[in-house]
Each structure stands twice: as structure tokens, then as C-alpha cells.
Amino acid sequence: MSPITLILIAIGLGLAGWLAGRAKAWSFQGPDPDRRPVSRPVYHAWYVALWVVLPVLAFVALWSAISPQLVKQAVLASPAAAELPAFGFERDAFINEARAVALGNAPGVFNDEAEALIEPFREALLRYNIIGIIITVLIALAGGGFAFLKLRPEFSARTRVERSIMAILLLASLVAIFTTFGIFASLVIETVRFFGIVSPADFLLGTKWGPDTMVSPEAVDPTRYGAVPLFWGTIFIGAIIAMIVAIPLGLMSAIYLTQYADPRLRAWVKPLLEILAGVPTVVYGYFAALTVAPLIRDAAVAIGITGASTESALAAGVVMGVMIIPFVSSMADDSMAAVPNALRDGSLAMGATKSETIRKVLFPAALPGIVAGIMLAVSRAIGETMIVVMAASPAANLTANPLEPMSTVTVQIVKLLTGEQSTDHPATLSAFALGFVLFMVTLMLNFIALRVVKRFREAYE
């Protein structure tokens, strides 16, 4: 039985508890003001419902993790599993086939050895599904009964409910924090393992990148793990070429839409511009690989440049810049809209033209927010994957020619983590080291951008 079924049972029982708590709270109402409840009936109802639902949700999370293992152990303990091979991978393949058939996800098995496991699986699934339902109902009844018996006219149900909601909100906010720490810890652990094989100096300062996945870990050449070409390619494509495209177009579109455009035109153009932010990056990748890259190559050949490649850094950077135009434009738009009207009106009252007001008053006042938007756009660009995977080259070249092939950190991470390489091989571990460096760079850019935005807000609040 899926966890969703148990959650639906919990919600149904929680609704029953809500109605029971509300009915009991209404019985406290009376003409005597000294005996009237200190909390409204709805808070009594929610107090009972929370005591029904929250413990069940905690049990469902735990049961979802342990019940598959219990079912597997029950099947392995059955007489039908006595003929299974001792090799773990082969045995698990037979078990997975039988499980798929027992759950109704497959019409049959490919191996005859798995046929005998189907009935034990069905019996074990049925048994543990019943156990899960029984425990769910018991926990719900126990929690609801405990809460129901505590309801009194003098019981402060509102305070308890609000504290519970505050705890839930705090837990929801901590999920993102713990997720960030989990990502950071996993990257650090694998990066430390990699630096135990390849020194940080060779990795961060080396200029030759060419990991060989076929070489044994003992015979690894540290000089082939120099990531400087990847760092340069990431900066060149994401922070230079893309920004050359995105910053002017984004700022000019924001200035036009906020200062010159008719409100009716703005109501149409601004949503159309922000549609670019919702286009899947794989679509941008197709556009870069099939349209922009051939056009750039043909244009270069037409003016006499014969070495232009279809996997050039320029193609990936241009399309990436188009993709992040809405980030720059929206942030600049909001920053200029947040400038007090008194500054704009004062400049115009002193005789400045509209263009002079924009250049000398409005733009400088909105500059902190614009800079923050640009930095967020840079962090978005250097972490982009699909466009550079489809339009850039896997060859790590240290060059300043935008028409030559060039690779980035994200391209190499995809290349190193796809396939059947061992997780202990230095080539695979190097992907985590690249991810750690990219994580730290984007985290630093986001932190600086948030600090700039905070100072900008404080200036006009």
C-alpha cells in the first residue's frame, strides 16, 4: 500500500477528530460568562485534528522507509527463496522482478527463478499493508483520544494550535537549510577523497584537463586534472559572453518599459519578455545547437575565418545571454520602480530632461539593485547545464577565441557522472570537486547579491 493511502486515511480520521472536537467545544457554550471557553470552538477542533494527523504523518514517513525492507526479509525467509543464487546482484534482480509483478507493475517475469517469489511477495505485501493500516488507525485514535480528553472550557486550545503551526513553519524553513548543509557535506566528503589522490594545487592551478577513466586509480596522472581551462570556459561563456548580451538588452528593455512605454504596451510586452524565463533550458540548447551555432560558423566563414567551430563558446554564450535577459530586466525594473518619486520629480522640476533624469538620478539610485540582479544572473549563467552540454564542446581548451570549442565545469560534470565508471575512481571524484568549486562560487555570488539588495532596501525604507 502506498504512503498516499495511509495519508488519506489520516486525513479522514483527522476530519472526524476535527468534527468531534468542534462538537465538544460547542457543548461548552452556556449563559454563564465564567464558564465560557477561553478559545473558540474552531481552535479546539484543530487541536484534535493536529493530534490525529501529525503523529500519523511521522509514522507514515518511518513506515515508508522500513516496510520495503520488512517485505523483502519476509520473502527471503520463505521456502521459495531457498533456491535463489547467493550472488547479491543476481538475487536482487529476481526479487525486483517478483516485486514488480506482485505490485501489478509488470505482466510477468523474465526469469523462472522469480516466478516462485510472486506469491510470497503478495502475501508479505498484504500482511504488512494490513499492519500499516492497523498501526495508522491506532496512532490516530490514540492521538485524537488524548487531545479530545484534554478539551475543557479553560483549555487554551488557540495557544497550543498556534504553537504547533509555528513549529511546522519552522520545520519547513529548516528543510531548505538542512538540504543546503547536506549538499555541502556530501560535496566536501567526496572532494576530500579526490584531494587525497590529486593535490589541490594540481587541480586548481593545472592547465591540462584530460581525466582517463580507463586508468587504474593507482596509475593516475595528477597533471591531467588541471581545471583551469574549465574555470576559464565557465567564466568566458557564462560571465563574459552571456553578460555582454544580457546586460545591455536587459537594462535597455527595463528602462524603456518603466520610463517610456505606454502602460497598455507595458502590460503586453513585460509578460512576453518574462516568458523567456519559463522556457526549458533544453529548448534553448536545441536552439543554440541547431540554429545559432551554424549561423555563427557560416558568418565567420563568410568574413574569412576558416577555423570557426559549430561547438563554439560564442554560440552557447549568446543563447545563454538571451535566456537570462528576463533576470536582468525584471531586477532592473523593480529597482527603478522602487526609487522614490520625489527624486524623479525633483530632477524634472530643476529643468532636467527625461533622459538626463534617467542617467543622472534614476539609474544611479537604482544601481545597487541592478548590480544585485546582474550578480544573480551571473550565478544562474555559470551553473547552466543543458545549453552548454548541447552547444559547447567537451574539449577543455584554454583560449580567448570565442569561435573555438570550449568546455565548462557543468559539461565535464555531466560527462564524468554518466556511464558506468566506479564511484571511487579519481575521474568520478573530480566531478564532485568541480561541483564543490561551482557551489562555492554561486553561493558567494548569491550572498553578495543579497547583501547588496539589503543595503538598497535600507536606503529607501
Side-chain angles (χ1 to χ4, degrees):
M1 181 175 294
S2 66
I4 297 178
T5 304
L6 298 179
I7 293 174
L8 291 177
I9 294 174
I11 293 175
L13 294 174
L15 178 60
W18 191 92
L19 295 174
R22 187 170 181 271
K24 185 174 182 179
W26 275 111
S27 66
F28 299 151
Q29 306 292 332
D32 187 3
D34 296 332
R35 292 291 298 168
R36 290 180 181 176
V38 297
S39 300
R40 296 170 58 189
V42 67
Y43 289 105
H44 290 84
W46 278 113
Y47 180 75
V48 177
L50 289 175
W51 265 100
V52 172
V53 175
L54 293 183
V56 171
L57 292 180
F59 166 74
V60 169
L62 178 63
W63 186 251
S64 300
I66 65 174
S67 60
Q69 298 301 321
L70 294 176
V71 172
K72 182 178 179 180
Q73 293 301 322
V75 173
L76 292 176
S78 65
E83 301 298 328
L84 289 177
F87 182 57
F89 182 80
E90 188 177 2
R91 184 180 67 244
D92 290 342
F94 295 153
I95 292 174
N96 291 333
E97 287 187 29
R99 179 189 289 113
V101 176
L103 292 173
N105 297 329
V109 297
F110 295 100
N111 300 286
D112 295 335
E113 292 85 348
E115 184 72 31
L117 300 177
I118 297 177
E119 286 304 321
F121 250 114
R122 287 173 177 167
E123 295 175 0
L125 288 171
L126 178 61
R127 180 166 65 253
Y128 284 105
N129 285 341
I130 295 174
I131 292 175
I133 293 175
I134 292 174
I135 296 177
T136 298
V137 174
L138 290 177
I139 292 176
L141 292 177
F146 171 78
F148 187 81
L149 294 175
K150 290 191 68 175
L151 299 184
R152 298 285 189 279
E154 64 277 6
F155 181 69
S156 57
R158 175 179 177 178
T159 302
R160 304 294 182 88
V161 170
E162 289 179 348
R163 288 178 179 176
S164 299
I165 299 299
M166 287 287 291
I168 295 173
L169 295 176
L170 176 62
L171 181 62
S173 63
L174 291 177
V175 168
I177 298 175
F178 289 146
T179 301
T180 303
F181 279 120
I183 294 172
F184 180 77
S186 63
L187 289 176
V188 167
I189 292 172
E190 301 299 330
T191 302
V192 170
R193 292 177 59 194
F194 172 71
F195 285 153
I197 304 172
V198 178
S199 69
D202 291 333
F203 177 73
L204 297 175
L205 303 177
T207 58
K208 181 182 179 181
W209 179 263
D212 190 354
T213 58
M214 304 304 294
V215 176
S216 63
E218 294 78 12
V220 167
D221 183 6
T223 61
R224 295 176 62 90
Y225 287 85
V228 170
L230 303 183
F231 299 148
W232 167 246
T234 303
I235 295 173
F236 191 60
I237 294 176
I240 297 179
I241 298 177
M243 290 301 108
I244 290 175
V245 175
I247 292 176
L249 295 178
L251 292 181
M252 287 189 290
S253 62
I255 292 173
Y256 175 76
L257 292 176
T258 55
Q259 303 302 317
Y260 294 101
D262 184 86
R264 292 174 296 180
L265 179 63
R266 173 185 167 85
W268 282 93
V269 175
K270 187 173 176 59
L272 291 176
L273 180 64
E274 293 180 346
I275 286 177
L276 290 174
V279 176
T281 56
V282 66
V283 176
Y284 283 110
Y286 281 124
F287 178 65
L290 301 179
T291 304
V292 177
L295 286 177
I296 292 176
R297 180 200 57 195
D298 295 341
V301 172
I303 61 176
I305 302 176
T306 58
S309 173
T310 55
E311 295 181 332
S312 63
L314 185 59
V318 168
V319 176
M320 192 182 300
V322 173
M323 180 193 69
I324 60 178
I325 285 175
F327 292 90
V328 178
S329 177
S330 296
M331 200 70 180
D333 191 327
D334 296 338
S335 300
M336 287 187 286
V339 176
N341 290 328
L343 294 177
R344 183 187 297 104
D345 296 341
S347 175
L348 296 174
M350 294 293 293
T353 63
K354 195 168 188 177
S355 62
E356 291 174 337
T357 301
I358 294 172
R359 287 186 289 107
K360 297 182 179 181
V361 178
L362 185 63
F363 192 80
L367 189 60
I370 294 173
V371 172
I374 292 173
M375 298 189 71
L376 289 174
V378 170
S379 64
R380 172 70 178 84
I382 65 176
E384 172 56 34
T385 302
M386 288 308 301
I387 293 177
V388 290
V389 166
M390 300 177 68
S393 170
N397 295 324
L398 188 59
T399 177
N401 186 353
L403 297 177
E404 292 186 5
M406 194 173 296
S407 187
T408 65
V409 169
T410 53
V411 171
Q412 293 300 316
I413 290 175
V414 172
K415 178 182 176 182
L416 293 170
L417 293 182
T418 53
E420 299 180 357
Q421 295 91 343
S422 172
T423 56
D424 295 328
H425 197 279
T428 305
L429 295 175
S430 66
F432 293 95
L434 292 173
F436 176 74
V437 174
L438 188 64
F439 176 83
M440 294 303 298
V441 171
T442 55
L443 186 65
M444 180 186 65
L445 291 175
N446 288 334
F447 177 76
I448 295 174
L450 292 175
R451 293 294 300 174
V452 172
V453 170
K454 183 179 179 181
R455 291 188 60 183
F456 169 68
R457 287 177 177 173
E458 289 177 351
Y460 297 109
E461 284 181 353

